[in-house]
Amino acid sequence: MQLKISFIRLGFLLTLLAWVNLPTGFVQASLLVVWAGVSWLIYLTRLEVAKTKRQVWLAQYLKSESFWQQRLQLGLLGKATQLLLALLFGLFLLLQLLVAESWLWWVLASSLILLAVIEKLMLRLLSTSAQTAYLMVLMRRASVFLVAGLLVGLTLLVRLHVSQPWLIGLSWNEALVLQLQLQGEAGVLPLLLRLSQTLDITWQWLLQNMLGNHETSGWLAIFVWGGVFVLQAAFCMAWVQLLAAAYFLKRGKL
């Protein structure tokens, strides 16, 4: 099976890798611009899915040119909701990348190949059953969910095997005091980075102390660990949605 790794997607990866390695002053000065660009690309992917879902749902009941079919399409409120979600996803993605370890970049690089494989397979599976008008949208939507799910599992497996600071036996507050960087630095970016680092340290602390140990940690800890797992899924989803937006750049649909 011949695969084509999109140069646009590779460009996303290399651009973000170069950006996070810039001096802090340049990163802070360009954060809004990069955030806007990343969020807009994620928004395009989410908007396409939302509009198609609404269109297909309405087509089951209403004629294509009817008054209500036109009025009930995705409106301003729906687009604003998708834009807000894209902004949150984009900011979360960038903050996680700014504090990411080197192994995470290799995982993200592998997602380029993984997405190409899944897209190829999904296109073959759906080409004989999906309607032509919705084939590419359905292929992209299915690929995004599958690859994001695989990335969550892969990220968790790598976290369990890479070298981590020893946090067993420490309380959550003690772990933060020992591992949290940028303590006391002023500014919006350092504050956001501290929040992102807190999430990453929480990952490590939960994996070492409370994974599956509800008898000693309590159900609240299991609930918190599940919440962090959901955030990891959100990160992977944002990344794959960003990669999926390469379609719009390639087709000139911005």
Side-chain angles (χ1 to χ4, degrees):
M1 181 171 57
Q2 184 179 4
L3 295 176
K4 294 183 179 179
I5 305 301
S6 171
F7 286 107
I8 297 178
R9 291 172 178 172
L10 182 59
F12 289 162
L13 177 68
L14 296 178
T15 299
L16 289 173
L17 179 59
W19 178 71
V20 301
N21 285 287
L22 290 173
T24 304
F26 287 100
V27 172
Q28 186 160 342
S30 60
L31 178 61
L32 287 178
V33 175
V34 176
W35 178 26
V38 168
S39 299
W40 181 251
L41 291 172
I42 294 174
Y43 169 72
L44 291 176
T45 301
R46 297 186 61 86
L47 183 65
E48 181 193 42
V49 172
K51 289 175 65 175
T52 303
K53 286 174 62 178
R54 179 67 65 89
Q55 182 179 353
V56 171
W57 178 74
L58 290 175
Q60 297 180 56
Y61 308 101
L62 303 175
K63 296 180 180 180
S64 59
E65 300 299 330
S66 67
F67 173 84
W68 288 112
Q69 169 70 276
Q70 301 297 322
R71 298 302 183 275
L72 293 177
Q73 292 295 333
L74 191 68
L76 182 60
L77 180 60
K79 293 178 181 179
T81 301
Q82 293 302 323
L83 180 58
L84 177 61
L85 290 173
L87 288 169
L88 294 175
F89 272 74
L91 181 60
F92 182 62
L93 173 67
L94 293 179
L95 294 179
Q96 285 288 282
L97 292 180
L98 284 169
V99 299
E101 300 178 56
S102 58
W103 62 263
L104 182 60
W105 289 99
W106 288 107
V107 171
L108 297 181
S110 70
S111 69
L112 301 180
I113 301 175
L114 185 59
L115 184 57
V117 172
I118 296 297
E119 284 180 340
K120 193 79 170 182
L121 291 175
M122 294 306 302
L123 192 58
R124 288 187 176 184
L125 290 173
L126 296 172
S127 59
T128 57
S129 55
Q131 296 184 35
T132 304
Y134 303 118
L135 175 60
M136 298 305 294
V137 178
L138 185 59
M139 181 272 292
R140 283 192 293 277
R141 184 185 181 194
S143 299
V144 165
F145 279 101
L146 286 173
V147 174
L150 291 173
L151 276 183
V152 171
L154 180 59
T155 303
L156 179 59
L157 287 175
V158 175
R159 282 184 181 275
L160 290 171
H161 289 87
V162 298
S163 176
Q164 296 180 358
W166 187 263
L167 302 177
I168 294 177
L170 299 178
S171 68
W172 181 66
N173 288 332
E174 291 173 335
L176 288 181
V177 171
L178 288 175
Q179 298 298 323
L180 188 61
Q181 303 174 7
L182 300 172
Q183 298 187 37
E185 294 192 26
V188 176
L189 181 59
L191 173 61
L192 293 174
L193 290 179
R194 281 196 294 272
L195 293 175
S196 186
Q197 287 179 344
T198 298
L199 175 61
D200 194 60
I201 295 169
T202 303
W203 254 107
Q204 298 170 356
W205 181 75
L206 288 172
L207 287 174
Q208 293 183 30
N209 289 279
M210 297 187 175
L211 181 57
N213 189 15
H214 64 83
E215 292 183 357
T216 59
S217 60
W219 285 108
L220 179 59
I222 303 301
F223 175 77
V224 173
W225 190 91
V228 177
F229 185 84
V230 170
L231 290 176
Q232 185 66 43
F235 168 79
C236 294
M237 180 66 72
W239 171 251
V240 182
Q241 286 177 342
L242 175 63
L243 295 182
Y247 167 81
F248 300 100
L249 292 176
K250 186 175 180 181
R251 301 293 180 182
K253 294 188 175 184
L254 287 177

